[in-house]
Amino acid sequence: MKAKKSLVLFLVSCLCLTLAFCLSTAAEDTAKPSPIPGMNLFNFISLCVLAVVLVVVVVLCIIKRQKVAASMRAYKSEMTKITWFPWKSVWRSSVFVIVAVLAVALTIGLLDIAFLQAQNALTGNSVGWFSSLFGK
C-alpha cells in the first residue's frame, strides 16, 4: 500500500509538470510585458509554478526517502519478474511497424495527389500538383 501511495505521488507530480509545460507552451498572451525577454507573462508564471511543484516533489521525496526507497525496491523486484520478448522478435516487429507506417503514409500521399488532380480537372484549374500543394 505504501508503494502505491509513493507511485501515485510521483505520477501526480509528473502530471502537474506536464500540464504546466503544456499550458506554458499553449499561451499566446504577448500583449503584456514580460520579465524575461522572448517569453510572455503566462509562460513565466507557468514556469515558476513548474519550478515550485518540482521543488515540492523533491522535498517530499527527501522527507519520505524510506518510503520512496521501498517503492523503488518494489518496482525493481517487479521489473525482474517480467518476461521480455527476445531481441530478434522485437526488432522484426519494429521493422514491420515502421514499414507499415511508411506504406500507409505513401498511400495517403498518393491519394491526396490523385484527388487534387481530379479536383483541378473538374474545376478547370490547370495548376501543377506540386505548386498547388505548396503554393505558387
Side-chain angles (χ1 to χ4, degrees), residues 32-41 43-44:
K32 297 179 182 176
S34 170
I36 299 175
M39 182 183 287
N40 61 34
L41 186 61
N43 286 351
F44 180 73

Side-chain angles (χ1 to χ4, degrees), residues 4 7 11 49 54 59 68 79 128 132:
K4 286 184 182 179
L7 185 61
L11 291 176
V49 169
L54 186 62
V59 167
V68 172
M79 289 300 287
S132 64

Side-chain angles (χ1 to χ4, degrees), residues 43-113:
N43 286 351
F44 180 73
I45 292 171
S46 297
L47 288 177
C48 289
V49 169
L50 178 78
V52 167
V53 169
L54 186 62
V55 167
V56 167
V57 168
V58 168
V59 167
L60 284 175
C61 287
I62 290 172
I63 291 173
K64 301 190 181 270
R65 84 179 75 121
Q66 290 153 348
K67 289 183 179 182
V68 172
S71 66
M72 289 299 136
R73 281 191 294 273
Y75 174 75
K76 186 178 179 183
S77 71
E78 288 296 321
M79 289 300 287
T80 58
K81 296 176 186 176
I82 296 175
T83 303
W84 299 98
F85 289 108
W87 174 249
K88 194 172 187 178
S89 172
V90 172
W91 178 252
R92 283 183 186 162
S93 299
S94 299
V95 168
F96 176 76
V97 168
I98 291 170
V99 168
V101 167
L102 290 175
V104 169
L106 183 66
T107 304
I108 290 173
L110 290 175
L111 285 173
D112 186 35
I113 291 171

